Amino acid sequence: MFRPKIMQGLKLKESKIMRKILSIDSFKGENQNSSEARKETPSLNQASAYSRKRFYHQTKKIFVGSWNIGGITPPKNLDMEDWLDTGNNSADIYVLGFQEIVPLNAANVLGPQNRKVCTKWNSLIGAALNNRTPTKVVEGDKIAESQKIYPLKEHICAEGEHQQDFQCIISRQMVGMFITIWARCDLYQTIRHLSVSSVGCGIMGYFGNKGSVSIRFYLHETSFCFVCSHLASGGKESDRRQRNFNATDILSRTIFPSGPLQDRPQKIIDHDRIVWLGDLNYRIYMPSSTTQSLIKKREWETLLKYDQLKLELMEGNVFQGWHEGAIEFPPTYKYRPNSKDYLGCDEQHTRKRGRSPAWCDRIIWFGKGMRQIQYNRSESRLSDHRPVRAMFTADIKVAVN
């Protein structure tokens, strides 16, 4: 008697899930910035004029950071300076990637995006970069700051703002992944062709609990691509293979619009400057007891010889041609809550079974024109991961007016 209603309900739920899957894969953020796109029309004269241009080169500093938050909402008084280090080493552009900004439960994976937490993070970041008090998050906001792509030619820093101040140029969330990019005000007019492509690699191979959010833009005449990702977890051999597959899948499925002249790069590795950041989840090829023993002795060099990602890079199984700077800091995972001790490596918890420490959080880059001048971590105890950061100098091609 009630069977038709039950079947109808199941079909409706299945339809919603499929729409969720399809909305995750390869989202093109540049379409939202349509005001700029409509102004651009393909022209042979444009292509010819570009070929006759003259160029010179500049060097810009780019800060890249990654942090797995473990689903914890940031407190209002969170000290971001420990991670961003603006007092000692300021950059021109900040690229910050987060994983698990919300708990990876069914409600967050299958349901609507929780955008309020992204707004909180952007408020904290903006306050730290500009040395101000964080702005109050308005609970009733329907348009979240985290989902905006600003039309840069129209969005200019407000009068009275210093040209060294920073503004968010783009932010994007997919379930627990969140990437936000901030640039100095005096660079605003030189940033163009913003675009986003998201790839879900999680449940069923498509849900956004694992995967990537990639952002590309042009700074003057140089294209940049930043990939924020969260790869498959676990310490088994099958988990390592799944991580490799996730990375290959992201490289294959990430596609950006080529533009009206068909002259913009569509694939990740086609860009001029490329950085991949995130919780890549690669572990250490050692028995847990051996790993924990070496952790207690702080023998990082010995542990790094068995680091999965280092071995994968050397053997060419994944990330062929990518580079990573020297790791001179302790493993970034897994810590006891609000503690300096790794889970399972202190005297009180040695006998308890848990995940072994590892360098899960990494920043790697591809191609020429970038030089890494810093690669380390900060010591915030907000989650069971420690945030990592890298500073790059990037060569920028500038057209002569």
Side-chain angles (χ1 to χ4, degrees):
M1 178 174 173
F2 299 103
R3 186 170 296 174
K5 290 185 178 180
I6 294 172
M7 291 302 295
Q8 186 177 5
L10 288 173
K11 288 182 179 179
L12 179 62
K13 186 174 182 180
E14 181 179 320
S15 175
K16 288 181 178 179
I17 291 175
M18 289 309 297
R19 285 200 300 271
K20 179 79 175 179
I21 294 174
L22 293 173
S23 68
I24 288 172
D25 196 16
S26 296
F27 173 80
K28 304 298 186 297
E30 192 165 10
N31 293 339
Q32 290 197 359
N33 193 12
S34 56
S35 61
E36 182 180 350
R38 283 195 296 268
K39 295 176 184 177
E40 300 183 54
T41 54
S43 167
L44 290 175
N45 290 335
Q46 283 181 313
S48 177
Y50 183 85
S51 66
R52 294 195 300 270
K53 279 187 176 181
R54 292 184 300 148
F55 303 93
Y56 65 95
H57 291 263
Q58 291 181 347
T59 299
K60 299 295 181 184
K61 291 174 68 175
I62 299 176
F63 179 102
V64 179
S66 179
W67 194 358
N68 185 318
I69 300 302
I72 298 172
T73 301
K76 294 180 181 179
N77 61 346
L78 179 64
D79 181 15
M80 298 292 289
E81 178 61 21
D82 177 63
W83 182 30
L84 301 180
D85 195 30
T86 58
N88 297 319
N89 203 2
S90 182
D92 299 295
I93 294 175
Y94 286 81
V95 180
L96 305 176
F98 298 85
Q99 304 80 44
E100 297 188 45
I101 59 165
V102 294
L104 299 183
N105 53 38
N108 287 324
V109 174
L110 301 177
Q113 302 274 26
N114 179 356
R115 298 175 178 177
K116 292 178 183 177
V117 68
C118 298
T119 309
K120 289 181 180 179
W121 277 109
N122 267 349
S123 175
L124 289 167
I125 293 164
L129 292 179
N130 295 313
N131 195 23
R132 295 171 184 159
T133 303
T135 57
K136 184 179 179 181
V137 177
V138 181
E139 297 296 331
D141 282 353
K142 293 184 179 179
I143 300 177
E145 185 76 11
S146 61
Q147 300 302 315
K148 289 184 179 179
I149 297 181
Y150 297 113
L152 294 179
K153 297 196 175 185
E154 300 169 14
H155 184 90
I156 302 173
C157 294
E159 288 186 19
E161 286 186 320
H162 196 276
Q163 289 298 298
Q164 298 301 311
D165 279 356
F166 290 86
Q167 288 282 341
C168 180
I169 63 170
I170 184 170
S171 299
R172 185 66 58 185
Q173 177 192 5
M174 183 179 75
V175 188
M177 280 167 278
F178 175 57
I179 181 171
T180 178
I181 300 180
W182 296 66
R184 283 202 336 262
C185 280
D186 60 354
L187 294 180
Y188 252 69
Q189 299 300 314
T190 67
I191 297 174
R192 302 169 293 123
H193 309 318
L194 282 158
S195 184
V196 180
S197 181
S198 300
V199 173
C201 299
I203 302 168
M204 297 171 60
Y206 278 90
F207 277 97
N209 55 307
K210 293 293 189 290
S212 67
V213 182
S214 301
I215 291 178
R216 80 95 177 273
F217 61 84
Y218 276 71
L219 177 58
H220 289 286
E221 307 300 325
T222 301
S223 63
F224 284 82
C225 182
F226 296 93
V227 183
C228 173
S229 74
H230 193 184
L231 305 186
S233 62
K236 299 178 182 178
E237 176 63 18
S238 59
D239 299 322
R240 179 195 62 82
R241 291 195 298 268
Q242 186 62 37
R243 284 188 279 276
N244 289 355
F245 178 78
N246 286 166
T248 303
D249 206 22
I250 289 167
L251 287 167
S252 173
R253 289 165 54 196
T254 300
I255 301 176
F256 297 100
S258 59
L261 293 176
Q262 305 293 308
D263 59 345
R264 296 176 203 159
Q266 290 187 281
K267 306 296 289 184
I268 290 172
I269 60 172
D270 293 335
H271 291 78
D272 298 320
R273 314 284 180 260
I274 310 156
V275 181
W276 192 311
L277 56 138
D279 181 357
L280 306 191
N281 254 324
Y282 285 95
R283 306 306 168 93
I284 297 172
Y285 272 129
M286 274 186 177
S288 180
S289 58
T290 307
T291 300
Q292 292 174 1
S293 175
L294 291 170
I295 287 286
K296 290 177 182 179
K297 298 175 183 177
R298 301 181 64 84
E299 295 189 13
W300 313 137
E301 290 187 13
T302 302
L303 286 166
L304 278 168
K305 293 177 182 178
Y306 299 90
D307 174 74
Q308 283 185 347
L309 182 57
K310 290 290 187 187
L311 294 171
E312 296 296 302
L313 287 168
M314 285 190 294
E315 295 171 6
N317 295 329
V318 69
F319 294 117
Q320 293 91 343
W322 291 74
H323 309 282
E324 184 180 29
I327 295 177
E328 298 176 345
F329 50 87
T332 58
Y333 173 85
K334 174 178 175 80
Y335 283 88
R336 293 175 55 210
N338 195 30
S339 171
K340 63 180 179 58
D341 297 319
Y342 291 100
L343 189 67
C345 293
D346 60 312
E347 293 181 1
Q348 293 180 338
H349 299 80
T350 300
R351 294 183 180 180
K352 290 188 177 182
R353 188 175 180 181
R355 294 182 177 179
S356 296
W359 285 275
C360 290
D361 309 277
R362 312 290 274 266
I363 299 171
I364 59 178
W365 77 96
F366 183 86
K368 299 179 180 180
M370 294 188 76
R371 186 171 69 90
Q372 190 182 78
I373 58 176
Q374 176 188 5
Y375 189 28
N376 55 25
R377 67 175 222 179
S378 70
E379 301 303 321
S380 173
R381 299 179 183 181
L382 181 66
S383 78
D384 55 356
H385 289 252
R386 296 294 184 262
V388 292
R389 62 192 175 198
M391 185 75 81
F392 295 92
T393 57
D395 180 68
I396 310 297
K397 186 178 180 182
V398 183
V400 177
N401 293 326

